[in-house]
């Protein structure tokens, strides 16, 4: 079944497998998480949204569709923002700090709630405020047993990937720790349908504030550290494609195909730097 998913466009795979309508969302999620157990670039939510609405990001689209899927027919939910896509200036410029006195405000709390909703709807394991068109330094992240179960066990073990509860970090500051680095494929909800290898530090320390303004500090390693670095980069206007290993960029459908000759294989490195022939930072 995995090879069918890998080789066919999603729509074709879906037709072939005759996925029941009610299971579509989870099937999409399974396909994308199965691919690399990472940030699902082309998500069920975005696919449905594009099919139903199309158009540019930031516009709030009705959630009648998702309300139908998740909450029963006829239940109305407040609209969630669309995910902003690469090319929008808000994704390529540094975001501003949230004034501490504003963290508790209705406006900031609403932004945070929207971010959590958008991340879970996608579904994704992380989101930065610029990805919903808000140029503020706020990130949310969450990884679950269910998401991780979609990835092959040997892959998620190599990635040092473990579930963690929802984290909201306002004005994060990230410090890379140690010299160990890891090279794995990642994707981004703002760049649908693609993946590329990115070198990340294996360990990071992040300080910042909770959504209630309490100071917080997180020591993180493995996949969670990767998510933190990916989301933190968003706040500086950096996308993962700005720091990929050249020649590893590919469509989701081609993710499992062999790497070009000369590319370093995925994994963890003790080296201070991955050879420059396979990495540009
Ligand atoms: Zn991203």
């Amino acid at each position: 079944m995995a090879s069918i998913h890998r080789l066919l466009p999603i729509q074709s795979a879906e037709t072939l497998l005759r996925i029941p309508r009610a299971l579509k969302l989870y099937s999409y999620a399974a396909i994308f998480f199965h691919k690399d157990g990472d940030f699902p670039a082309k998500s069920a939510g975005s696919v449905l949204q594009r099919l139903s609405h199309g158009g540019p990001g930031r516009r709030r689209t009705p959630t009648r569709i998702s309300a139908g899927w998740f909450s029963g027919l006829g239940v109305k939910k407040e609209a969630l923002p669309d995910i902003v896509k690469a090319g929008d200036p808000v994704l390529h410029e540094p975001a501003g700090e949230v004034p501490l006195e504003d963290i508790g405000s209705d406006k900031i709390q609403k932004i945070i709630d929207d971010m959590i909703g958008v991340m879970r709807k996608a579904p994704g394991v992380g989101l930065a405020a610029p990805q919903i068109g808000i140029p503020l330094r706020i990130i949310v992240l969450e990884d679950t047993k269910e998401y991780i179960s979609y990835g092959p066990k040997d892959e998620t073990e190599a990635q040092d990937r473990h579930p963690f509860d929802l984290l909201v970090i306002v004005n994060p500051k990230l410090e890379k720790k140690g010299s160990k680095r890891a090279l794995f494929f990642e994707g981004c909800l703002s760049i649908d349908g693609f993946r590329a290898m990115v070198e990340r530090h294996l360990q990071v320390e992040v300080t910042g504030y909770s959504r209630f303004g309490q100071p917080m500090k997180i020591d993180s390693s493995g996949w969670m550290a990767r998510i933190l670095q990916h989301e933190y980069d968003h706040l500086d206007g950096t996308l993962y494609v700005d720091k990929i290993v050249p020649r590893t960029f590919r469509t989701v459908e081609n993710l499992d195909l062999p790497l070009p000759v000369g590319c370093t294989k995925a994994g963890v490195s003790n080296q201070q730097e991955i050879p420059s022939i396979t990495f540009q930072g």
Side-chain angles (χ1 to χ4, degrees):
M1 187 169 287
S3 62
I4 293 172
H5 287 161
R6 183 166 68 75
L7 295 172
L8 296 177
I10 297 311
Q11 291 82 356
S12 307
E14 181 190 310
T15 307
L16 188 66
L17 298 171
R18 299 184 189 286
I19 296 168
R21 189 172 165 75
L23 294 175
K24 262 186 190 170
L25 275 182
Y26 291 106
S27 302
Y28 275 120
I31 289 165
F32 291 116
F33 280 110
H34 175 76
K35 288 303 214 177
D36 63 354
D38 191 9
F39 321 93
K42 192 193 283 180
S43 63
S46 65
V47 169
L48 287 173
Q49 241 171 33
R50 192 165 55 250
L51 288 175
S52 319
H53 306 287
R58 294 193 208 207
R59 192 164 46 82
R60 283 174 182 262
T61 52
T63 52
R64 184 173 51 80
I65 296 167
S66 60
W69 290 107
F70 290 120
S71 314
L73 294 170
V75 178
K76 273 200 166 184
K77 289 174 87 179
E78 195 176 343
L80 286 170
D82 286 342
I83 295 174
V84 174
K85 303 297 181 187
D88 190 307
V90 74
L91 289 177
H92 303 277
E93 294 163 357
E97 297 236 326
V98 179
L100 284 187
E101 62 272 23
D102 289 351
I103 291 183
S105 67
D106 289 348
K107 186 181 147 204
I108 297 298
Q109 292 299 310
K110 174 76 168 62
I111 290 168
I112 292 169
D113 286 339
D114 278 352
M115 289 172 65
I116 297 167
V118 168
M119 173 180 70
R120 287 177 171 169
K121 183 183 169 195
V125 292
L127 195 83
Q131 290 183 278
I132 57 166
I134 307 286
L136 287 175
R137 300 184 80 84
I138 307 171
I139 61 174
V140 298
L141 55 156
E142 178 181 52
D143 206 357
T144 68
K145 266 188 186 171
E146 184 194 346
Y147 291 168
I148 294 169
S149 73
Y150 298 141
K153 200 155 185 275
D154 56 344
E155 200 168 289
T156 53
E157 277 176 5
Q159 293 165 341
D160 193 14
R161 187 173 172 190
H162 307 282
F164 58 86
D165 292 338
L166 174 71
L167 259 178
V168 176
I169 313 174
V170 180
N171 297 343
K173 297 224 180 326
L174 183 145
E175 195 181 327
K176 294 161 183 167
K177 296 285 190 183
S179 60
K180 281 194 178 176
R181 300 174 185 216
L183 191 61
F184 288 108
F185 275 100
E186 44 178 268
C188 179
L189 292 170
S190 294
I191 307 168
D192 270 352
F194 298 97
R195 297 284 191 278
M197 286 178 105
V198 180
E199 189 199 27
R200 301 283 189 189
H201 270 72
L202 203 59
Q203 285 186 295
V204 297
E205 179 190 289
V206 177
T207 54
Y209 295 89
S210 75
R211 68 178 298 167
F212 307 110
Q214 296 150 330
M216 59 195 291
K217 177 173 166 239
I218 299 145
D219 288 304
S220 174
S221 63
W223 205 248
M224 183 183 178
R226 175 171 292 263
I227 299 170
L228 283 163
Q229 288 168 87
H230 178 109
E231 303 310 332
Y232 185 77
D233 274 353
H234 272 299
L235 305 182
D236 288 336
T238 300
L239 299 180
Y240 84 95
V241 289
D242 296 329
K243 46 174 61 174
I244 62 174
V245 176
R247 304 199 298 145
T248 61
F249 187 72
R250 54 191 52 208
T251 63
V252 168
E253 289 80 6
N254 287 343
L255 183 62
D256 296 336
L257 297 183
L259 290 171
V261 173
C263 281
T264 304
K265 295 214 168 6
V268 175
S269 166
N270 274 312
Q271 293 173 304
Q272 287 293 327
E273 286 186 30
I274 301 272
S276 60
I277 192 167
T278 59
F279 176 73
Q280 67 179 23

